[in-house]
């Protein structure tokens, strides 16, 4: 499906994942393209796909596309490269129009309505907020 608001798209994907085959272009399409691009970048550098686990990833934007990208890369780091959920989450820095998102972000709970599990990716050093 296309052009649902982020909060509705993520909810629908999660609610019906075991009952229907579903695909959201903004969340899953962008994520698949970015993950393929990262693996291509590893190959272009003469590295194998396992090099992904050694990268630090900066994501600009905390909308539906950003959430899909981050969750997909984290899932790949866990499933294909053996990282724990916490280790994989610590590979990311997320910035938006207010700067780096940290656990000190005053509206972090509100942001999680649009970006599932954002707090697990947020920088834990509150002094880096913004």
């Amino acid at each position: 499906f296309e052009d649902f608001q982020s909060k509705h798209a993520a909810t629908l994907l999660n609610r019906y994942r075991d009952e229907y085959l579903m695909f959201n272009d903004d969340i899953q399409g962008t994520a698949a393209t970015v993950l393929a691009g990262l693996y291509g970048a590893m190959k272009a550098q003469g590295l194998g796909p396992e090099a992904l686990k050694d990268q630090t990833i900066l994501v600009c934007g905390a909308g539906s596309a950003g959430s899909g990208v981050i969750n997909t890369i984290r899932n790949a780091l866990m499933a294909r490269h053996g990282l724990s959920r916490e280790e994989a989450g610590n590979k990311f820095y997320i910035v938006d129009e207010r700067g780096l998102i940290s656990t000190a972000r005053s509206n972090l709970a509100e942001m999680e309505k649009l970006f599932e599990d954002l707090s697990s990716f947020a920088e834990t050093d509150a002094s880096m907020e913004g």
Side-chain angles (χ1 to χ4, degrees):
F1 50 89
E2 177 66 35
D3 294 329
F4 280 88
Q5 292 178 2
S6 299
K7 63 183 176 184
H8 300 304
T11 301
L12 291 171
L13 287 169
N14 287 327
R15 180 182 302 156
Y16 296 113
R17 75 175 48 194
D18 295 328
E19 298 173 44
Y20 303 103
L21 294 175
M22 298 177 70
F23 184 83
N24 177 268
D25 181 55
D26 288 343
I27 296 173
Q28 296 164 304
T30 302
T33 302
V34 170
L35 183 58
L38 289 172
Y39 283 129
M42 300 297 109
K43 185 175 182 178
Q45 295 177 55
L47 303 170
E50 67 281 353
L52 182 62
K53 71 180 184 300
D54 301 319
Q55 306 305 308
T56 300
I57 300 168
L58 174 66
V59 177
C60 298
S64 60
S67 81
V69 166
I70 292 168
N71 280 300
T72 297
I73 296 170
R74 178 178 64 183
N75 290 343
L77 289 168
M78 291 167 32
R80 299 188 77 196
H81 305 293
L83 273 63
S84 71
R85 184 178 181 87
E86 183 178 353
E87 290 169 327
N90 288 336
K91 297 288 183 183
F92 298 90
Y93 291 95
I94 308 168
V95 296
D96 66 2
E97 70 277 1
R98 292 176 47 194
L100 182 67
I101 297 173
S102 80
T103 54
R105 179 66 64 101
S106 61
N107 65 336
L108 188 60
E110 182 70 23
M111 293 176 74
E112 282 199 305
K113 291 178 183 175
L114 300 176
F115 189 126
E116 181 183 350
D117 204 23
L118 178 60
S119 61
S120 73
F121 297 103
E123 171 58 44
T124 56
D125 182 352
S127 69
M128 294 179 65
E129 171 63 37

